[in-house]
Amino acid sequence: MMNKKNIWILILVIIGIGGIVAVEGYAKPKVREQEARYEIEQKSPYTHDISRSLKFRSKYMGNAGNIGNLNNSLPYSDMNNTFQLYPDELTAELKYKVLSAELETAKLQEMLLYVATANFAMIDNLQALRLTFEDAVFTIQRKAVEEWYGGEGSLVLLQNKQNWRELVQDKMKDREFTQKFNDQLVKREAVQ
């Protein structure tokens, strides 16, 4: 017959093996599934978590690494290959290796609204943003975006996660909101 010490060791081994099975067989796959779902959600402007972009907030647009990281944290970053800064003009240009005409109109308009709003909300002295596709250039001015969201200083309010959800993401669900933003604020030019 086993003594008490050996019985306790056996019980602890069984509990340990059970714990490892529970963690490896259930908990870790569940966490990986949640992480994968979160990453998928970051690709949509409707479910994107703006808090992961807030750490790239800056007073000045001259920090190339910061602007690159900001735009890599936003939806549609998989289409943005490069960017260029024009500090004398306080302008950033995001270059996309796709034809804008190949994108669904609604998706393109959502992208222009979301990316421009995020860049102007996070980079204080950025005055203009150009999104250059292989067939067109879309230019958006900070002043127009500020007016769209309520006037001078309104973009600071968008640095709050709840305000971002209410004033950008929830309003984007109304197709007319996105359409008007593009019609009124976005200047389109064909690439020569």
Side-chain angles (χ1 to χ4, degrees):
M1 196 160 176
M2 292 209 256
N3 65 28
K4 284 186 175 186
K5 181 179 172 186
N6 289 341
I7 291 174
W8 278 109
I9 291 173
L10 182 60
I11 290 171
L12 290 174
V13 167
I14 291 171
I15 290 172
I17 291 172
I20 290 172
V21 168
V23 168
E24 294 297 327
Y26 178 76
K28 280 188 177 179
K30 197 78 166 161
V31 167
R32 281 193 289 272
E33 180 184 316
Q34 288 172 341
E35 288 172 349
R37 189 175 323 116
Y38 179 79
E39 287 305 315
I40 290 168
E41 289 172 352
Q42 299 319 296
K43 296 181 186 293
S44 168
Y46 299 104
T47 55
H48 177 252
D49 179 7
I50 197 64
S51 64
R52 72 187 263 173
S53 302
L54 289 173
K55 62 185 167 193
F56 303 114
R57 187 194 173 302
S58 175
K59 290 183 179 208
Y60 307 106
M61 54 91 46
N63 183 338
N66 192 63
I67 287 194
N69 288 329
L70 168 62
N71 284 288
N72 285 334
S73 75
L74 298 174
Y76 313 110
S77 63
D78 54 336
M79 291 189 290
N80 181 359
N81 289 355
T82 61
F83 67 94
Q84 184 159 351
L85 301 179
Y86 300 93
D88 293 340
E89 302 167 24
L90 298 176
T91 298
E93 179 180 25
L94 306 178
K95 298 178 182 182
Y96 297 89
K97 297 292 183 191
V98 295
L99 295 169
S100 66
E102 290 180 353
L103 298 175
E104 200 178 300
T105 300
K107 182 178 180 177
L108 176 63
Q109 290 180 340
E110 290 168 356
M111 175 187 180
L112 295 171
L113 183 153
Y114 201 87
V115 170
T117 300
N119 274 272
F120 290 127
M122 302 301 162
I123 310 296
D124 291 349
N125 75 335
L126 182 64
Q127 296 303 309
L129 183 68
R130 278 195 300 264
L131 293 95
T132 302
F133 292 81
E134 292 181 345
D135 61 340
V137 177
F138 299 89
T139 304
I140 305 162
Q141 301 294 326
R142 175 187 203 84
K143 188 170 179 72
V145 175
E146 276 184 325
E147 290 299 320
W148 180 258
Y149 288 105
E152 189 173 337
S154 61
L155 295 176
V156 172
L157 298 174
L158 299 179
Q159 295 170 4
N160 172 285
K161 185 177 177 175
Q162 184 63 33
N163 289 344
W164 183 268
R165 174 151 312 281
E166 292 172 8
L167 299 172
V168 180
Q169 290 174 305
D170 290 347
K171 288 192 175 197
M172 283 178 65
K173 293 174 185 171
D174 176 5
R175 183 75 194 103
E176 191 175 321
F177 176 82
T178 306
Q179 179 73 44
K180 282 184 180 177
F181 179 96
N182 280 268
D183 290 347
Q184 296 173 16
L185 279 64
V186 179
K187 178 183 171 194
R188 183 188 192 282
E189 300 172 67
V191 171
Q192 304 295 330

